[in-house]
Amino acid sequence: MKKKAGSTDMTAMCDVAFLLLSFFVMTATAKIPEALPVDTPASVTQTKLPDTDLATITIGKGKVFFDLKGREVRVKALELMGQKYGVTFTEEETKTFSLMEGVGVPITNLKQLIGMKTSERNKAGLQPGIPKDSLDNQLKDWIYNSRIANIDVNDKELQIAIKGDAKEEYPAIKQVMDILQDQKINNFSLVTGLRATEK
């Protein structure tokens, strides 16, 4: 007798594949492009940064950006910065700011940045960076007011992380470290990319 070739019903397999595909598409979140993308230096350290009570200072291409975790903390920090520089933000502008990623503009231009769409906001070269020179040191004020805001909201000390580009020159990084040390912040993290270790 001749044996007939067996056939496998793939209907169930296709159903499972499409269910998994649908699940991953619906639960995935789109990554928002960074306003200042940096190529971090490599290291073998595997210490993770905290998800809360964290401010990240990003340095690259001669610019400095500032980001703060937590919507309520961001709102309080913006309120304190507005009081310091005499800029008033509406409730809608405050809400938009609480959802934004890092900021890289002087406080006087922040209202204009908040008014833009997210796609426009993150265009390369649009944000000139936060001023950090001796005559106009807004980065120092962002750090100071963010620390106050974090203590007011979370009753915890704010952690600081510096995320610098691997090609950034040392004086730019040192200037930010000096600003931190002027505020008696001697404990901060350096963000690096994970490098494979040789065996």
Side-chain angles (χ1 to χ4, degrees), residues 36-38 59-64 124 128 165 168:
L36 181 64
V38 294
I59 308 165
K61 300 173 186 170
K63 301 176 183 178
V64 175
D165 195 297
E168 190 65 40

Side-chain angles (χ1 to χ4, degrees), residues 41-46 192-198:
S43 79
V44 293
T45 307
Q46 294 188 23
T192 57
L194 190 60
R195 179 181 65 206
T197 54
E198 295 178 11

Side-chain angles (χ1 to χ4, degrees), residues 55-101:
T56 306
I57 302 167
T58 306
I59 308 165
K61 300 173 186 170
K63 301 176 183 178
V64 175
F65 281 56
F66 185 78
D67 189 23
L68 193 57
K69 298 284 182 193
R71 290 181 184 178
E72 292 176 20
V73 179
R74 291 172 69 88
V75 168
K76 183 69 177 173
L78 182 67
E79 180 187 322
L80 293 170
M81 284 296 288
Q83 289 171 4
K84 164 91 179 166
Y85 287 92
V87 181
T88 307
F89 296 94
T90 65
E91 192 175 317
E92 188 62 34
E93 288 170 337
T94 304
K95 184 180 176 185
T96 303
F97 178 79
S98 72
L99 301 171
M100 284 171 49
E101 291 293 316

Side-chain angles (χ1 to χ4, degrees), residues 39-54:
D39 181 25
T40 55
S43 79
V44 293
T45 307
Q46 294 188 23
T47 307
K48 284 187 74 175
L49 291 172
D51 294 329
T52 58
D53 308 313
L54 178 71

Side-chain angles (χ1 to χ4, degrees), residues 4 6 11 14 36 65 85 106 119 149 152 170 181 186:
K4 291 183 179 178
T11 307
C14 290
L36 181 64
F65 281 56
Y85 287 92
S119 57
D152 286 352
Y170 175 71
Q181 289 180 336
N186 297 312

